[in-house]
Amino acid sequence: MKLLKKLSIMAFLFVFSLSNALAESVDKNLPSAKDDRIILKSQIIIPPQLGSYREIGVEYVDPGYGTVKIEDVLTNEVGYIDGTPRKSFTNFETFKYASILIIKAVPGLGDIYRRGEEIYNALKAIYTDLSNIDPYKRVEVETKYTYRDFYHDLYVWDYSKIWKYIGYSLSRYYYKIYGMWYFDSKIGEFRYNVEYYTHQNGYPPEVIAKAPNYMKYNV
């Protein structure tokens, strides 16, 4: 019994410390994208007449009717949302000052625009050879997005003494991808550079299409 009790305490401390580690904002330090469905955090919210709200360390045998459990679930990066068709500009200056519709009608966000200069500066921070761009030659740019879904899954402890699935709210994390063709004056030829600003490459979401009750557990 003493050994069993000791193991139970150790298991509780491990789960509790892991739960606290994952309880930080999901906008940073996201877990590996190799998993298709990652439970970031699980917590129980007890109705006021029964108690208070607290993180789950171990499951309660019977938390009480009406007790709510919310699981934060993050999916892998999935697919691509095609951007608007590849755009061509007669020269770099035209591209640089253009307002570019990079993607149309993203669910939860609508249309997204960028100045050519923003796209150029984003790529230049990674590809130093963009400093050699010939300002008088043709420039082409393409854009697209990948995304991850973020769920608040809602369960209620019902009279059957089980967690009954009630529903979810869905938010979406979008990650941009920029590609650019340009003439490198130093080597005398056109080059293409692309950067995947995705979670797998260590980038946070560029934009989040938030559900109305995103991260509002009291709702």
Side-chain angles (χ1 to χ4, degrees), residues 122-194:
L123 289 172
K124 184 181 177 184
I126 299 158
Y127 296 100
T128 55
D129 59 344
L130 275 168
S131 300
N132 303 321
I133 194 168
D134 188 325
Y136 304 107
K137 293 289 195 304
R138 176 175 56 87
V139 169
E140 293 187 1
V141 63
E142 67 176 1
T143 60
K144 59 178 69 173
Y145 272 71
T146 184
Y147 62 90
R148 309 178 82 185
D149 286 334
F150 175 83
Y151 294 89
H152 289 306
D153 282 341
L154 177 65
Y155 302 82
V156 172
W157 188 262
D158 74 358
Y159 291 103
S160 302
K161 294 191 175 181
I162 61 171
W163 288 112
K164 182 179 180 181
Y165 179 67
I166 300 299
Y168 65 89
S169 69
L170 173 62
S171 301
R172 184 164 281 179
Y173 292 8
Y174 290 96
Y175 301 82
K176 66 189 178 185
I177 299 165
Y178 288 159
M180 183 177 173
W181 285 265
Y182 61 96
F183 191 85
D184 189 321
S185 58
K186 188 173 182 178
I187 62 175
E189 64 181 38
F190 280 95
R191 302 298 297 269
Y192 173 71
N193 282 328
V194 62

Side-chain angles (χ1 to χ4, degrees), residues 27-92:
D27 295 349
K28 59 181 180 179
N29 301 323
L30 296 176
S32 172
K34 65 184 179 182
D35 298 321
D36 289 334
R37 189 172 172 83
I38 306 153
I39 298 178
L40 295 180
K41 183 169 62 172
S42 185
Q43 55 190 318
I44 281 180
I45 301 173
I46 300 175
Q49 66 271 25
L50 297 178
S52 60
Y53 141 58
R54 58 181 180 261
E55 298 281 334
I56 290 180
V58 292
E59 289 284 356
Y60 297 94
V61 176
D62 187 347
Y65 308 129
T67 296
V68 172
K69 179 169 72 171
I70 298 176
E71 289 186 345
D72 291 350
V73 179
L74 189 63
T75 66
N76 193 6
E77 289 171 15
V78 291
Y80 294 102
I81 300 175
D82 290 333
T84 50
R86 184 189 306 172
K87 293 186 178 296
S88 181
F89 300 87
T90 54
N91 57 60
F92 175 69

